[in-house]
Amino acid sequence: RKEQLMAGPNGEQLRIMTELQEIWGVGKKKAQKLYNLGLRSIEDVRKRIHLDSSNSSNSSNSETTNQKCLLTTGQLIGLNRHEDLQERIPRKEVEMITSIVRDAVNKVAGRNNILVETCGSYRRGNKSSGDVDVLISDPTPSGTTFDLRNVLNKLREDDFLTDDLSHPGAPSVEGGKRQSYMGVCKVPIEKNHGNETFHRRIDVKSFPHTLWSYALLYFTGSDHFNRSMRLWAKKLGWTLSDKGLSPVIRQRQKRDSSTTYQYQDDKVWTGDSLECNSEEEIFHALGLVYVTPPMRTSDPSAMKMVKLVQEDEDGGSGGSGGSGGSGGS
Ligand code: DCT
Ligand code: MG
């Protein structure tokens, strides 16, 4: 479909908008805005920002003030780091980054039993990743969310974190709240045996241990796999997220005069989450065969293998597993 659109009358605009969306934090809407301003490449955006900043130091008219808001702080970081962030991260470097975070967590916590696990494409076994997705949880019975803030401060002091794209708030007293950080990091040269490295995108999330399996499942993805699994849960009358797996009652409600229901949150009642102590338990609660992280992909060849495993477990009888397989996979 993309190829068709690219070949169509709006192909050039689509190509430009796709390029603009390579900047971290720039979505479709902002790309359209930049396009409407006549900007046709990332280089154009750079020049405009540069021009705006030199203008604003000379004058203070209102036009300049508007242009200053062209990009948010996060998008500006994305623009400045764009070349580095386009580079894929080899597994070995993902592991270095993970161990730097783990060391900081252990040092700040004063113990080494805090769970630190890198998820995302790394956990799915990809040879390289677009970013590093680190999940943290304190497994001690206190049940509180491990507070990321002191660890982040330490990593900033160590010049490992170079830019912050978002800051986590305090975890709630009940310990039910997650913390999430998005930023940019760089492995120090000495840790990388003298080799220069690129700036890398890093996400760090801290979850209460009761949600660990749900957090692992969510943060491992892939995004398409998550979407499929959530749809499967929805069809069975459940809602699946990083907050758990809960029974729900949904009722279609018409929002104002709109006739589209598609994206409306139609839950009118949500029950307590099931306690699942492993990812396997979540799959089984949904009547699904456990899928290992490398198989959690929309790659058709992997899906074929999942189906084979399923048929094997069903004794090759097919039956309801056949239609379920295609919907749930
Ligand atoms: N995720 C999701 N829905 C999205 C985006 C992400 O459920 N729309 C989940 C699944 C993967 C996890 O968050 C981390 O996201 P990314 O880092 O964007 O994906 P990735 O699979 O790790 O791929 P990449 O190598 O590009 O980082
Ligand atoms: Mg990732």
Side-chain angles (χ1 to χ4, degrees):
R1 173 144 171 80
K2 190 176 174 189
E3 277 166 16
Q4 272 179 5
L5 287 170
M6 286 287 198
N10 296 324
E12 183 58 6
Q13 178 175 350
L14 187 66
R15 189 198 60 73
I16 293 166
M17 300 241 312
T18 306
E19 177 181 332
L20 296 174
Q21 285 174 74
E22 278 179 9
I23 304 170
W24 186 88
V26 172
K28 226 172 168 177
K29 237 169 135 181
K30 180 53 79 77
Q32 183 71 58
K33 195 174 157 189
L34 298 171
Y35 184 87
N36 293 346
L37 286 169
L39 305 176
R40 294 292 179 265
S41 64
I42 292 180
E43 208 35 53
D44 278 1
V45 180
R46 245 188 211 128
K47 282 183 195 148
R48 172 66 72 94
I49 297 280
H50 195 70
L51 195 72
D52 288 353
S53 55
S54 48
N55 276 351
S56 65
S57 53
N58 298 333
S59 78
S60 60
N61 65 33
S62 64
E63 200 189 337
T64 312
T65 315
N66 276 341
Q67 285 172 347
K68 256 166 66 184
C69 304
L70 194 60
L71 297 183
T72 64
T73 314
Q75 290 163 346
L76 272 175
I77 293 168
L79 182 65
N80 288 336
R81 302 284 188 210
H82 176 253
E83 274 70 33
D84 271 21
L85 299 186
Q86 288 304 105
E87 298 287 334
R88 304 284 302 171
I89 317 172
R91 283 184 76 79
K92 217 172 148 68
E93 194 179 328
V94 174
E95 283 155 14
M96 271 182 227
I97 291 172
T98 307
S99 77
I100 291 171
V101 175
R102 183 176 290 119
D103 288 350
V105 166
N106 290 347
K107 216 162 217 167
V108 167
R111 56 196 161 99
N112 56 10
N113 67 338
I114 311 268
L115 299 169
V116 177
E117 181 141 356
T118 294
C119 301
S121 50
Y122 172 81
R123 186 162 178 252
R124 298 201 308 278
N126 290 15
K127 287 199 175 81
S128 68
S129 295
D131 66 1
V132 184
D133 304 295
V134 188
L135 192 61
I136 296 180
S137 187
D138 183 353
T140 47
S142 68
T144 52
T145 306
F146 179 75
D147 192 347
L148 293 179
R149 289 172 300 173
N150 290 336
V151 173
L152 297 173
N153 286 340
K154 173 161 174 45
L155 292 171
R156 270 185 216 106
E157 281 164 19
D158 295 348
D159 294 326
F160 171 72
L161 291 177
T162 59
D163 308 85
D164 300 322
L165 296 163
S166 78
H167 293 273
S172 71
V173 186
E174 305 83 40
K177 219 181 137 191
R178 307 155 286 175
Q179 268 187 325
S180 179
Y181 169 81
M182 287 190 284
V184 179
C185 67
K186 196 169 191 288
V187 175
I189 289 181
E190 68 270 20
K191 283 224 162 61
N192 197 29
H193 314 295
N195 297 324
E196 185 60 81
T197 54
F198 300 99
H199 288 86
R200 306 298 198 183
R201 273 277 299 110
I202 181 167
D203 283 353
V204 188
K205 290 179 199 289
S206 176
F207 274 75
H209 195 245
T210 47
L211 294 179
W212 178 250
S213 319
Y214 291 105
L216 264 184
L217 181 66
Y218 152 71
F219 216 24
T220 299
S222 69
D223 50 355
H224 286 131
F225 184 86
N226 286 355
R227 218 180 295 170
S228 305
M229 199 162 163
R230 285 170 186 200
L231 181 64
W232 175 263
K234 186 174 177 178
K235 285 183 177 170
L236 296 178
W238 295 82
T239 181
L240 173 67
S241 72
D242 52 347
K243 292 190 199 114
L245 175 62
S246 305
V248 282
I249 297 175
R250 293 186 162 91
Q251 202 166 62
R252 274 197 169 179
Q253 288 167 34
K254 205 167 173 177
R255 191 194 283 171
D256 43 66
S257 60
S258 154
T259 50
T260 51
Y261 301 100
Q262 213 180 346
Y263 298 109
Q264 195 174 336
D265 180 10
D266 50 8
K267 297 186 203 77
V268 290
W269 175 84
T270 307
D272 291 338
S273 171
L274 288 186
E275 245 182 64
C276 285
N277 294 315
S278 65
E279 287 178 308
E280 281 89 340
E281 284 184 31
I282 305 174
F283 280 88
H284 293 160
L286 286 164
L288 295 169
V289 170
Y290 176 66
V291 180
T292 58
M295 305 297 281
R296 299 180 199 168
T297 161
S298 48
D299 176 348
S301 59
M303 282 306 149
K304 218 156 79 187
M305 287 170 71
V306 173
K307 222 169 158 209
L308 284 177
V309 174
Q310 192 162 7
E311 279 170 8
D312 222 29
E313 293 210 355
D314 290 349
S317 62
S320 63
S323 60
S326 62
S329 53

